[in-house]
Amino acid sequence: MATKQENVNLLERSKTKPPKLYKVILLNDDFTTMEFVIEVLRIFFSMGQERATQVMLQIHNEGSAVCGVYPKDIAETKVSQVSEFAKQHGHPLRCQTEEN
C-alpha cells in the first residue's frame, strides 16, 4: 500500500501542462475590402462592430494584427475557415498562426 507521501508525489507527476497557445494573424493585402475583413472578424472571431473596425484598421495601417490566441488545433481551424471563406468570396485574404 502506498504511503501518503508517495500518493502526493504521484499526483504531482501526473499534472499536465496547459497547451501551447498560438496567435491567429490576419495580413493586409491590396485587394480585400475593409468591409470584408470586418465581416471575417465578426464571424470567425466574435468581435463586435467597433472592435472589428479597430482591428481592421490595425491590419490596414500596420500590415497585420492578432485576431485571437488559441490552442494549436483551434488556431489552425480558424486559419482554414478564414482562408476558405475568403476564397469562396474571391478575396486573397491571408491568415496564419504563430506560436504565442
Side-chain angles (χ1 to χ4, degrees), residues 3-30:
T3 66
K4 187 174 183 179
Q5 182 60 36
E6 289 171 337
N7 286 337
V8 170
N9 288 340
L10 288 173
L11 286 173
E12 286 176 4
R13 279 188 264 152
S14 67
K15 289 181 184 177
T16 58
K17 293 180 184 177
K20 288 183 182 178
L21 297 177
Y22 291 78
K23 298 181 253 187
V24 177
I25 301 168
L26 282 182
L27 305 171
N28 189 42
D29 65 68
D30 293 331

Short mmCIF file of all heavy atoms in Angstrom, two decimals, residues 3-30:
data_model
loop_
_atom_site.label_atom_id
_atom_site.label_comp_id
_atom_site.label_asym_id
_atom_site.label_seq_id
_atom_site.Cartn_x
_atom_site.Cartn_y
_atom_site.Cartn_z
N THR A 3 2.17 5.05 0.65
CA THR A 3 2.06 5.98 1.77
C THR A 3 1.48 7.30 1.27
O THR A 3 1.40 7.55 0.05
CB THR A 3 3.45 6.25 2.40
OG1 THR A 3 4.25 6.93 1.43
CG2 THR A 3 4.12 4.96 2.85
N LYS A 4 1.11 8.15 2.21
CA LYS A 4 0.55 9.46 1.84
C LYS A 4 1.55 10.26 1.00
O LYS A 4 1.18 10.87 0.01
CB LYS A 4 0.15 10.22 3.10
CG LYS A 4 -0.58 11.50 2.82
CD LYS A 4 -1.06 12.14 4.11
CE LYS A 4 -1.84 13.39 3.77
NZ LYS A 4 -2.36 14.05 4.96
N GLN A 5 2.82 10.23 1.38
CA GLN A 5 3.85 10.97 0.64
C GLN A 5 3.97 10.45 -0.79
O GLN A 5 4.10 11.22 -1.73
CB GLN A 5 5.21 10.87 1.36
CG GLN A 5 6.32 11.66 0.68
CD GLN A 5 6.04 13.16 0.58
OE1 GLN A 5 5.44 13.76 1.47
NE2 GLN A 5 6.45 13.75 -0.52
N GLU A 6 3.93 9.13 -0.96
CA GLU A 6 4.02 8.55 -2.31
C GLU A 6 2.82 8.97 -3.15
O GLU A 6 2.95 9.25 -4.34
CB GLU A 6 4.12 7.02 -2.23
CG GLU A 6 5.45 6.54 -1.69
CD GLU A 6 5.47 5.05 -1.42
OE1 GLU A 6 4.39 4.46 -1.22
OE2 GLU A 6 6.56 4.48 -1.41
N ASN A 7 1.63 9.04 -2.55
CA ASN A 7 0.43 9.48 -3.28
C ASN A 7 0.58 10.93 -3.75
O ASN A 7 0.21 11.27 -4.86
CB ASN A 7 -0.82 9.33 -2.42
CG ASN A 7 -1.25 7.89 -2.27
OD1 ASN A 7 -0.92 7.05 -3.09
ND2 ASN A 7 -1.98 7.60 -1.21
N VAL A 8 1.13 11.78 -2.90
CA VAL A 8 1.33 13.19 -3.26
C VAL A 8 2.31 13.28 -4.42
O VAL A 8 2.08 14.03 -5.38
CB VAL A 8 1.82 14.00 -2.03
CG1 VAL A 8 2.27 15.39 -2.44
CG2 VAL A 8 0.73 14.09 -0.98
N ASN A 9 3.40 12.52 -4.37
CA ASN A 9 4.38 12.54 -5.45
C ASN A 9 3.76 12.08 -6.77
O ASN A 9 4.04 12.62 -7.82
CB ASN A 9 5.60 11.68 -5.11
CG ASN A 9 6.47 12.32 -4.05
OD1 ASN A 9 6.40 13.52 -3.82
ND2 ASN A 9 7.27 11.50 -3.37
N LEU A 10 2.92 11.06 -6.73
CA LEU A 10 2.26 10.58 -7.95
C LEU A 10 1.34 11.64 -8.52
O LEU A 10 1.29 11.85 -9.73
CB LEU A 10 1.46 9.30 -7.66
CG LEU A 10 2.28 8.03 -7.44
CD1 LEU A 10 1.37 6.89 -6.99
CD2 LEU A 10 3.03 7.65 -8.69
N LEU A 11 0.61 12.33 -7.66
CA LEU A 11 -0.29 13.39 -8.13
C LEU A 11 0.50 14.54 -8.75
O LEU A 11 0.10 15.09 -9.78
CB LEU A 11 -1.14 13.91 -6.97
CG LEU A 11 -2.26 12.99 -6.51
CD1 LEU A 11 -2.92 13.57 -5.26
CD2 LEU A 11 -3.29 12.80 -7.60
N GLU A 12 1.61 14.90 -8.15
CA GLU A 12 2.41 16.00 -8.69
C GLU A 12 2.97 15.64 -10.07
O GLU A 12 3.03 16.48 -10.96
CB GLU A 12 3.55 16.33 -7.74
CG GLU A 12 3.08 17.07 -6.50
CD GLU A 12 4.18 17.32 -5.49
OE1 GLU A 12 5.35 16.97 -5.78
OE2 GLU A 12 3.88 17.85 -4.42
N ARG A 13 3.38 14.42 -10.28
CA ARG A 13 3.93 13.99 -11.56
C ARG A 13 2.86 13.89 -12.65
O ARG A 13 3.14 14.01 -13.82
CB ARG A 13 4.64 12.64 -11.43
CG ARG A 13 6.03 12.80 -10.87
CD ARG A 13 6.77 11.51 -10.92
NE ARG A 13 6.62 10.89 -9.59
CZ ARG A 13 6.63 9.61 -9.34
NH1 ARG A 13 6.79 8.75 -10.30
NH2 ARG A 13 6.48 9.16 -8.12
N SER A 14 1.61 13.66 -12.25
CA SER A 14 0.57 13.44 -13.25
C SER A 14 -0.08 14.74 -13.72
O SER A 14 -0.92 14.72 -14.61
CB SER A 14 -0.51 12.50 -12.71
OG SER A 14 -1.21 13.13 -11.65
N LYS A 15 0.30 15.88 -13.14
CA LYS A 15 -0.25 17.15 -13.59
C LYS A 15 0.20 17.41 -15.02
O LYS A 15 1.36 17.21 -15.37
CB LYS A 15 0.21 18.29 -12.69
CG LYS A 15 -0.42 18.27 -11.32
CD LYS A 15 0.07 19.45 -10.50
CE LYS A 15 -0.50 19.37 -9.09
NZ LYS A 15 0.01 20.45 -8.25
N THR A 16 -0.73 17.88 -15.85
CA THR A 16 -0.38 18.18 -17.23
C THR A 16 -0.16 19.68 -17.40
O THR A 16 -0.75 20.50 -16.71
CB THR A 16 -1.49 17.72 -18.20
OG1 THR A 16 -2.69 18.38 -17.83
CG2 THR A 16 -1.68 16.23 -18.14
N LYS A 17 0.69 20.01 -18.34
CA LYS A 17 0.94 21.41 -18.65
C LYS A 17 -0.20 21.92 -19.53
O LYS A 17 -0.75 21.16 -20.33
CB LYS A 17 2.25 21.55 -19.42
CG LYS A 17 3.47 21.20 -18.62
CD LYS A 17 4.72 21.37 -19.47
CE LYS A 17 5.95 20.93 -18.72
NZ LYS A 17 7.16 21.02 -19.55
N PRO A 18 -0.53 23.18 -19.42
CA PRO A 18 -1.54 23.73 -20.33
C PRO A 18 -0.99 23.70 -21.76
O PRO A 18 0.22 23.77 -21.96
CB PRO A 18 -1.74 25.16 -19.84
CG PRO A 18 -0.57 25.46 -18.98
CD PRO A 18 -0.02 24.16 -18.48
N PRO A 19 -1.87 23.61 -22.75
CA PRO A 19 -1.39 23.55 -24.13
C PRO A 19 -0.73 24.87 -24.53
O PRO A 19 -1.06 25.93 -24.02
CB PRO A 19 -2.66 23.31 -24.94
CG PRO A 19 -3.76 23.81 -24.08
CD PRO A 19 -3.33 23.60 -22.66
N LYS A 20 0.22 24.77 -25.48
CA LYS A 20 0.82 25.98 -26.04
C LYS A 20 -0.27 26.75 -26.78
O LYS A 20 -1.17 26.15 -27.37
CB LYS A 20 1.94 25.61 -27.02
CG LYS A 20 3.16 25.08 -26.36
CD LYS A 20 4.25 24.82 -27.41
CE LYS A 20 5.48 24.24 -26.74
NZ LYS A 20 6.53 23.95 -27.74
N LEU A 21 -0.14 28.05 -26.76
CA LEU A 21 -1.12 28.89 -27.43
C LEU A 21 -0.51 29.49 -28.70
O LEU A 21 0.69 29.73 -28.77
CB LEU A 21 -1.60 30.00 -26.50
CG LEU A 21 -2.35 29.51 -25.26
CD1 LEU A 21 -2.71 30.69 -24.36
CD2 LEU A 21 -3.58 28.71 -25.62
N TYR A 22 -1.38 29.70 -29.67
CA TYR A 22 -0.96 30.23 -30.97
C TYR A 22 -1.81 31.44 -31.34
O TYR A 22 -3.02 31.45 -31.15
CB TYR A 22 -1.11 29.16 -32.05
CG TYR A 22 -0.11 28.05 -31.88
CD1 TYR A 22 -0.30 27.06 -30.93
CD2 TYR A 22 1.05 28.02 -32.64
CE1 TYR A 22 0.64 26.05 -30.74
CE2 TYR A 22 2.00 27.02 -32.45
CZ TYR A 22 1.78 26.03 -31.50
OH TYR A 22 2.72 25.05 -31.32
N LYS A 23 -1.12 32.47 -31.87
CA LYS A 23 -1.82 33.67 -32.34
C LYS A 23 -2.36 33.39 -33.74
O LYS A 23 -1.68 32.77 -34.55
CB LYS A 23 -0.86 34.85 -32.41
CG LYS A 23 -0.27 35.25 -31.09
CD LYS A 23 0.65 36.45 -31.26
CE LYS A 23 2.07 36.00 -31.12
NZ LYS A 23 3.05 37.08 -31.11
N VAL A 24 -3.55 33.88 -34.01
CA VAL A 24 -4.09 33.87 -35.37
C VAL A 24 -3.95 35.30 -35.88
O VAL A 24 -4.43 36.24 -35.25
CB VAL A 24 -5.56 33.41 -35.39
CG1 VAL A 24 -6.11 33.48 -36.81
CG2 VAL A 24 -5.69 32.00 -34.84
N ILE A 25 -3.26 35.43 -37.00
CA ILE A 25 -2.90 36.74 -37.53
C ILE A 25 -3.49 36.92 -38.93
O ILE A 25 -3.33 36.04 -39.78
CB ILE A 25 -1.36 36.88 -37.59
CG1 ILE A 25 -0.77 36.69 -36.18
CG2 ILE A 25 -0.95 38.20 -38.21
CD1 ILE A 25 0.72 36.51 -36.16
N LEU A 26 -4.15 38.05 -39.15
CA LEU A 26 -4.61 38.41 -40.49
C LEU A 26 -3.60 39.38 -41.08
O LEU A 26 -3.09 40.26 -40.39
CB LEU A 26 -5.98 39.09 -40.44
CG LEU A 26 -7.20 38.19 -40.25
CD1 LEU A 26 -8.47 39.03 -40.27
CD2 LEU A 26 -7.27 37.14 -41.32
N LEU A 27 -3.33 39.20 -42.38
CA LEU A 27 -2.34 40.01 -43.08
C LEU A 27 -3.01 40.95 -44.08
O LEU A 27 -3.98 40.57 -44.76
CB LEU A 27 -1.35 39.10 -43.81
CG LEU A 27 -0.65 38.07 -42.92
CD1 LEU A 27 0.13 37.08 -43.77
CD2 LEU A 27 0.27 38.76 -41.93
N ASN A 28 -2.48 42.13 -44.21
CA ASN A 28 -3.01 43.11 -45.15
C ASN A 28 -2.68 42.72 -46.59
O ASN A 28 -1.66 42.07 -46.86
CB ASN A 28 -2.40 44.49 -44.85
CG ASN A 28 -3.06 45.59 -45.65
OD1 ASN A 28 -4.27 45.61 -45.80
ND2 ASN A 28 -2.26 46.50 -46.17
N ASP A 29 -3.56 43.08 -47.50
CA ASP A 29 -3.29 42.96 -48.93
C ASP A 29 -3.97 44.14 -49.62
O ASP A 29 -4.72 44.87 -49.00
CB ASP A 29 -3.76 41.60 -49.49
CG ASP A 29 -5.26 41.43 -49.42
OD1 ASP A 29 -5.98 42.14 -50.15
OD2 ASP A 29 -5.72 40.57 -48.65
N ASP A 30 -3.69 44.32 -50.90
CA ASP A 30 -4.23 45.47 -51.62
C ASP A 30 -5.58 45.23 -52.28
O ASP A 30 -6.08 46.10 -52.99
CB ASP A 30 -3.22 45.92 -52.70
CG ASP A 30 -1.95 46.47 -52.09
OD1 ASP A 30 -2.00 47.00 -50.97
OD2 ASP A 30 -0.89 46.35 -52.75
#
